[in-house]
Amino acid sequence: MGTVALSSGNLTASDRQILRTVNAGASSLSFLGSSFIVLCYLLFRDLRKFSFKLVFYLAISDMLCSFFSIVGDPSTGFFCYAQGYSTHFFCIASFLWTTTIAFTLHRTVVRHKTDVEDMEAMFHLYVWGTSLVMTVIRSMGNDHRHLGGAWCSSQTGRSKKAYHFITFYVPLWGAILYNGFTYFQVIRMLNNATRMAEGMSDRASDGRPDMKALNRWGYYPLILIGSWTFGTLNVIHDLIEPGHKIFWLSVLHVGTAALMGLFNSIAYGLNSSVRRAISERLDLFCPERLQRWLPANSAKSRSTGQESELVSLKVQDEH
């Protein structure tokens, strides 16, 4: 990936080939997963609510990040610049869109505000503007060239690696901390509201459907942590000991980072509303006898009457 910026270091030609293969395979899975979410948004009108629109923008960023990662290893200068900077730009945009989703949930659930739809233009300015600024800063003084590694890489000097760390990993972990704190507040408030509702009602099961959403939200910050922990450790090691690569750490770095789009598409996109929309289309085109054997149909029966974890936000239904 352009954000990985691995130098060849002490890696052998066989090691670099393995890294290229891991990157291409994992990025392809992310590309397919995020493309599926984009396709669902375009095909199913009932998914075009504001909250899922943010997931749509996240999927677009993941899709383009994965695409430019798959391009990989171009040998000419222009394509090297285009591949490296484009991947950097869209990968930053990806984790920034997750912060807008966290912000939307927090503002709606915790602060009881219904004005988040009016902030869409601000969200675009924040995400694309920050991504552009970080990419431009990274480009300062960089001499992109083909080093025989898995991707276009910048020069191997510590100052260049420091630019990369500052313009990608610092905002990345800032987003992780923000998402974790925000979801903690959202989950705590909904847990308190659920306990209060159960205390006032004899039917304790009334709050259970919401607990599924709470459990799912708790995993959202872990996606970025799981995707980029090995990458962060690898980059820090590379700053401390330049030219001495740890192969197994590089493989984990490449594999987990390239799977970020797939993780996002499953966690954010493949929710009950998407499954229900797919199941309803299957009802129209598949014979009834075949429907009984499809998992989507059973998912529909389990989730009937239950709103999506994200689409269920009251914000999109406000007048």
Side-chain angles (χ1 to χ4, degrees):
M1 304 175 75
T3 53
V4 174
L6 289 174
S7 59
S8 54
N10 62 327
L11 299 179
T12 66
S14 176
D15 292 340
R16 294 194 294 271
Q17 181 58 45
I18 292 175
L19 291 176
R20 281 194 292 268
T21 303
V22 171
N23 172 64
S27 296
S28 297
L29 291 175
S30 289
F31 180 80
L32 292 174
S34 52
S35 298
F36 174 76
I37 300 304
V38 170
L39 188 63
C40 287
Y41 180 85
L42 296 177
L43 291 179
F44 304 144
R45 289 182 176 273
D46 49 339
L47 293 179
R48 298 178 190 175
K49 309 291 178 65
F50 178 74
S51 54
F52 200 80
K53 186 186 291 186
L54 298 180
V55 177
F56 169 68
Y57 296 141
L58 169 63
I60 288 179
S61 299
D62 282 331
M63 183 177 67
L64 293 173
C65 176
S66 301
F67 171 77
F68 285 108
S69 296
I70 296 170
V71 169
D73 207 23
S75 57
T76 59
F78 172 78
F79 289 105
C80 188
Y81 276 106
Q83 189 262 350
Y85 292 141
S86 298
T87 310
H88 191 82
F89 177 88
F90 287 111
C91 286
I92 291 177
S94 173
F95 66 72
L96 290 181
W97 278 118
T98 68
T99 65
T100 67
I101 295 172
F103 175 85
T104 299
L105 280 169
H106 183 272
R107 190 167 180 84
T108 305
V109 175
V110 177
R111 301 188 63 185
H112 305 291
K113 302 291 185 179
T114 59
D115 58 349
V116 286
E117 289 191 42
D118 300 330
M119 298 182 176
E120 183 176 355
M122 187 182 301
F123 287 165
H124 282 286
L125 180 62
Y126 155 68
V127 172
W128 305 122
T130 303
S131 301
L132 180 61
V133 169
M134 292 297 102
T135 304
V136 170
I137 293 175
R138 185 195 172 188
S139 70
M140 294 179 178
N142 271 6
D143 177 23
H144 278 250
R145 57 183 178 175
H146 183 257
L147 295 175
W151 309 272
C152 274
S153 303
S154 59
Q155 286 182 316
T156 56
R158 281 184 175 174
S159 62
K160 312 304 179 186
K161 294 174 182 178
Y163 267 108
H164 179 240
F165 186 84
I166 292 171
T167 59
F168 185 81
Y169 288 94
V170 170
L172 167 69
W173 283 97
I176 290 173
L177 291 175
Y178 173 79
N179 287 352
F181 177 74
T182 299
Y183 284 117
F184 171 77
Q185 287 193 316
V186 170
I187 291 172
R188 183 179 63 177
M189 179 161 186
L190 289 182
N191 269 326
N192 292 337
T194 300
R195 283 195 293 268
M196 290 179 62
E198 290 177 351
M200 298 172 63
S201 173
D202 294 332
R203 294 182 299 171
S205 61
D206 288 346
R208 288 179 185 173
D210 289 335
M211 296 307 297
K212 294 182 179 180
L214 295 184
N215 293 333
R216 192 183 186 107
W217 290 341
Y219 290 114
Y220 287 169
L222 298 180
I223 295 174
L224 290 178
I225 295 175
S227 296
W228 292 106
T229 295
F230 293 114
T232 304
L233 294 175
N234 198 28
V235 170
I236 292 175
H237 173 268
D238 204 25
L239 283 169
I240 297 174
E241 295 188 37
H244 179 68
K245 305 298 297 183
I246 301 177
F247 176 64
W248 65 265
L249 185 58
S250 297
V251 172
L252 291 174
H253 176 184
V254 171
T256 55
L259 285 172
M260 178 179 67
L262 178 64
F263 296 152
N264 283 336
S265 63
I266 293 173
Y268 288 95
L270 200 58
N271 52 47
S272 59
S273 286
V274 174
R275 296 193 299 269
R276 186 163 57 250
I278 295 173
S279 180
E280 289 172 356
R281 291 342 181 255
L282 290 176
D283 287 345
L284 297 176
F285 298 106
C286 293
E288 183 177 342
R289 190 173 298 175
L290 178 62
Q291 291 176 23
R292 289 197 293 262
W293 298 95
L294 294 175
N297 194 60
S298 60
K300 176 188 175 183
S301 61
R302 289 193 305 266
S303 61
T304 300
Q306 177 183 345
E307 294 293 332
S308 161
E309 295 87 331
L310 285 173
V311 182
S312 63
L313 292 177
K314 292 183 179 180
V315 60
Q316 72 266 16
D317 296 324
E318 296 290 336
H319 299 290

